[in-house]
């Protein structure tokens, strides 16, 4: 399986991916469908992105976020961090409870073994 398709449910290349690869190989825009289909006609082509050798779109500049978007992004990050901390704390609490329960069970088991040995008959003389 090629690395681009590893995470997909069905490791088949999609039509769009195959078309991008064909465009790269032939060095331009190619009408891969019927001539009657205006979907791939150059006049109606809205796709102005350029593609690298792997068929991935080339993005020149990252988009600048507005102040409001930055505040929202920080809030989401804080909320995510709180959720992670809360789940981690819950997991540690559960682990402590399990350890305590195991310690009590080992103690009870040892006590029962001692009681069983006390009830048993000693060596006959």
């Amino acid at each position: 399986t090629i690395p681009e398709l590893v995470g997909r449910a069905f490791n088949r290349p999609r039509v769009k991916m195959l078309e991008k690869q064909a465009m790269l190989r032939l060095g331009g825009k190619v009408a891969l469908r019927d001539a009657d289909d205006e979907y791939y006609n150059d006049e109606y082509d809205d796709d102005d992105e350029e593609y690298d050798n792997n068929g991935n779109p080339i993005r020149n500049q990252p988009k600048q976020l507005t102040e409001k978007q930055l505040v929202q992004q920080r809030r989401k990050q804080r909320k995510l961090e709180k959720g992670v901390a809360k789940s981690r704390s819950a997991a540690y609490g559960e682990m402590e409870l399990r350890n305590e329960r195991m310690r009590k069970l080992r103690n009870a088991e040892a006590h029962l073994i001692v009681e069983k040995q006390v009830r048993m008959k000693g060596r006959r003389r």
Side-chain angles (χ1 to χ4, degrees):
T1 305
I2 59 175
E4 293 86 23
L5 303 178
V6 170
R8 298 246 317 275
F10 300 101
N11 290 334
R12 296 186 212 140
R14 293 194 168 111
V15 173
K16 193 171 187 175
M17 184 178 178
L18 293 173
E19 291 168 353
K20 286 179 187 177
Q21 290 174 352
M23 281 193 283
L24 288 171
R25 271 189 253 125
L26 298 176
K29 296 180 181 180
V30 178
L32 296 175
R33 306 249 172 126
D34 294 331
D36 298 335
D37 189 7
E38 293 180 354
Y39 183 73
Y40 284 93
N41 191 346
D42 285 343
E43 295 175 25
Y44 300 103
D45 190 12
D46 292 336
D47 189 17
D48 292 334
E49 292 182 341
E50 296 178 7
Y51 299 95
D52 61 5
N53 293 337
N54 297 329
N56 299 324
I58 298 173
R59 292 179 176 84
N60 295 337
Q61 299 175 0
K63 293 181 180 178
Q64 295 294 327
L65 299 177
T66 63
E67 190 67 32
K68 185 176 181 180
Q69 290 172 334
L70 286 172
V71 169
Q72 288 175 347
Q73 189 176 16
R74 285 189 209 116
R75 283 182 186 161
K76 285 181 183 179
Q77 184 66 27
R78 275 197 308 255
K79 188 174 183 179
L80 181 65
E81 288 172 359
K82 279 184 182 179
V84 168
K86 188 175 182 179
S87 62
R88 183 182 298 131
S89 175
Y92 277 117
E94 181 182 348
M95 188 174 67
E96 288 300 319
L97 290 174
R98 284 183 181 195
N99 287 339
E100 181 69 20
R101 206 164 32 248
M102 288 299 294
R103 187 183 60 75
K104 287 180 181 178
L105 286 172
R106 272 191 241 110
N107 191 12
E109 181 185 19
H111 186 66
L112 289 173
I113 290 172
V114 169
E115 284 184 355
K116 181 179 178 184
Q117 289 173 348
V118 168
R119 283 192 317 260
M120 295 175 91
K121 220 176 212 182
R123 181 184 285 184
R124 289 189 182 206
R125 294 184 196 239

